[in-house]
Amino acid sequence: MENHNNVTEFVLLGLFMNQDLKLMCFVIFLFCYFAIFLGNFIIFVTITCSHLIQQPMYYFLCHLSLMDLAYTSTIVPRLIRDLIAKEKNISFGSCMTQLFTAHFLATVEMFILVSMAFDRYVAICKPLHYMVIVNRQRCNTMILMAWGVAFWHAIAQMLMVVRLPFCGPNQIDHYICDVKPLLKLVCADTHIANILVIANSGMVVLTTFLVLVASYIVILYNLRKHSSEGRRKALSTCGSHVMVVVLFFVPCISTYIRPPSASKNDKEFSMFYTVIGPMLNPLIYTLRNAEMKNAMQKVWSNKLSILFK
């Protein structure tokens, strides 16, 4: 298909059209971004500056917090700005950059969640072989694989959109540059592109989610052999991870598994994995985790005592 692209910039319509609602949401999302940044920053520093970094579960959690910081920083600042800005234009190049970066970081986060599930599976189902199976070399390999798979996924999404012809209108009915709202602006048949989006994003997310569900079914089955105290501790740890997985994957599946013609609530669904999930993750992983709370108390009391000496 020859690319006849007459569009040099897009206009992000954002979440709402009501001006009073925009001002209220500006304050809410500003607070949300502050909470995301502070919460994930505290977890990242706590783990890297304590003995927890030696444990695979917290090693993955450290990377998850870093991804949450990076991912939301590609989306939320622009969302906050557009809530009060008169001009909501974004250049074609900046739009493609945001599309690539958002898909890249979200996919890395998705595979980090898979790595965390693998860690819990080995810890509960094969405890005697845990230190051999989940060693630091294998953890690093899983992180590198996550980055590699995420890069090829994101580059495929971006190249598919870049090659399509945009002739106008240029108003994106969303608060971010994403594949599905962009396909609605293409002045050509997008039937194949829609199938590719569902195959590349929708089915990958759905398959990964089903694998995670299957892994936790196996974990729950194997917990029967543990003591009541062991079951309680394992369920507490796994419960936190399941909450994070549901917050991330269910809205993603709802967004990408459906064709664009049925995508009336994509903006609302995407709020869960772009804002709400990253904001709640630090709370989910700390409120029910005594080890994490103890490490936070030691690390930050030491840092504050050094700061105020």
Side-chain angles (χ1 to χ4, degrees), residues 229-245:
E229 178 63 23
R231 282 197 299 268
R232 187 195 62 78
K233 187 175 180 180
L235 286 172
S236 177
T237 304
C238 293
S240 300
H241 190 252
V242 168
M243 290 171 65
V244 172
V245 166

Side-chain angles (χ1 to χ4, degrees), residues 20-40:
D20 294 332
L21 202 57
K22 286 182 180 180
L23 292 173
M24 182 180 70
C25 287
F26 171 79
V27 176
I28 292 172
F29 286 118
L30 190 63
F31 170 79
C32 288
Y33 185 60
F34 176 76
I36 290 167
F37 188 89
L38 184 64
N40 285 288

Side-chain angles (χ1 to χ4, degrees), residues 175-212:
Y175 58 89
I176 58 173
C177 285
D178 202 2
V179 178
K180 289 180 72 177
L182 282 168
L183 287 179
K184 296 178 182 179
L185 307 180
V186 174
C187 50
D189 181 23
T190 59
H191 180 70
I192 295 176
N194 289 332
I195 293 173
L196 289 175
V197 169
I198 294 172
N200 189 8
S201 295
M203 292 308 297
V204 169
V205 173
L206 179 60
T207 303
T208 307
F209 178 70
L210 292 176
V211 168
L212 287 168

Side-chain angles (χ1 to χ4, degrees), residues 21-304:
L21 202 57
K22 286 182 180 180
L23 292 173
M24 182 180 70
C25 287
F26 171 79
V27 176
I28 292 172
F29 286 118
L30 190 63
F31 170 79
C32 288
Y33 185 60
F34 176 76
I36 290 167
F37 188 89
L38 184 64
N40 285 288
F41 177 76
I42 288 173
I43 284 185
F44 179 79
V45 173
T46 299
I47 294 173
T48 53
C49 296
S50 69
H51 67 284
L52 295 180
I53 193 65
Q54 303 300 325
Q55 300 181 38
M57 182 179 74
Y58 294 105
Y59 178 73
F60 290 131
L61 178 57
C62 180
H63 282 275
L64 181 68
S65 295
L66 186 61
M67 286 303 103
D68 275 340
L69 279 172
Y71 179 52
T72 53
S73 294
T74 66
I75 296 171
V76 182
R78 174 86 201 195
L79 167 62
I80 294 170
R81 172 198 172 276
D82 286 348
L83 284 168
I84 58 170
K86 291 183 179 179
E87 298 291 331
K88 301 179 182 180
N89 298 357
I90 182 170
S91 68
F92 185 87
S94 297
C95 186
M96 294 302 108
T97 301
Q98 188 186 55
L99 186 152
F100 170 83
T101 307
H103 274 267
F104 173 66
L105 295 172
T107 308
V108 173
E109 184 165 338
M110 183 174 74
F111 282 101
I112 288 174
L113 290 172
V114 173
S115 300
M116 294 174 77
F118 172 75
D119 170 74
R120 291 300 86 202
Y121 166 77
V122 177
I124 293 168
C125 301
K126 300 180 183 293
L128 297 179
H129 302 93
Y130 178 76
M131 296 305 296
V132 175
I133 297 174
V134 193
N135 53 44
R136 182 49 57 92
Q137 183 180 358
R138 185 164 278 113
C139 290
N140 289 333
T141 301
M142 287 190 283
I143 294 294
L144 288 174
M145 285 178 63
W147 282 72
V149 172
F151 174 81
W152 288 112
H153 163 76
I155 205 75
Q157 294 286 80
M158 187 188 71
L159 291 177
M160 180 184 68
V161 175
V162 166
R163 295 177 60 189
L164 294 171
F166 295 92
C167 312
N170 67 339
Q171 294 184 329
I172 302 174
D173 187 19
H174 214 294
Y175 58 89
I176 58 173
C177 285
D178 202 2
V179 178
K180 289 180 72 177
L182 282 168
L183 287 179
K184 296 178 182 179
L185 307 180
V186 174
C187 50
D189 181 23
T190 59
H191 180 70
I192 295 176
N194 289 332
I195 293 173
L196 289 175
V197 169
I198 294 172
N200 189 8
S201 295
M203 292 308 297
V204 169
V205 173
L206 179 60
T207 303
T208 307
F209 178 70
L210 292 176
V211 168
L212 287 168
V213 170
S215 70
Y216 277 99
I217 290 172
V218 174
I219 287 172
L220 288 173
Y221 179 80
N222 278 272
L223 280 176
R224 298 177 310 147
K225 305 171 186 176
H226 289 65
S227 64
S228 58
E229 178 63 23
R231 282 197 299 268
R232 187 195 62 78
K233 187 175 180 180
L235 286 172
S236 177
T237 304
C238 293
S240 300
H241 190 252
V242 168
M243 290 171 65
V244 172
V245 166
V246 169
L247 276 172
F248 184 86
F249 279 92
V250 172
C252 275
I253 292 168
S254 301
T255 300
Y256 291 105
I257 203 69
R258 299 177 302 164
S261 58
S263 306
K264 293 183 179 179
N265 301 314
D266 279 357
K267 288 189 288 188
E268 289 79 6
F269 283 130
S270 62
M271 290 301 302
F272 283 94
Y273 56 84
T274 58
V275 180
I276 298 173
M279 182 177 64
L280 294 179
N281 285 357
L283 294 175
I284 291 170
Y285 279 114
T286 56
L287 288 179
R288 300 175 62 189
N289 191 322
E291 194 172 16
M292 188 72 193
K293 287 189 282 190
N294 291 335
M296 286 173 62
Q297 186 177 3
K298 289 179 182 178
V299 169
W300 290 99
S301 61
N302 288 338
K303 288 189 176 295
L304 290 173

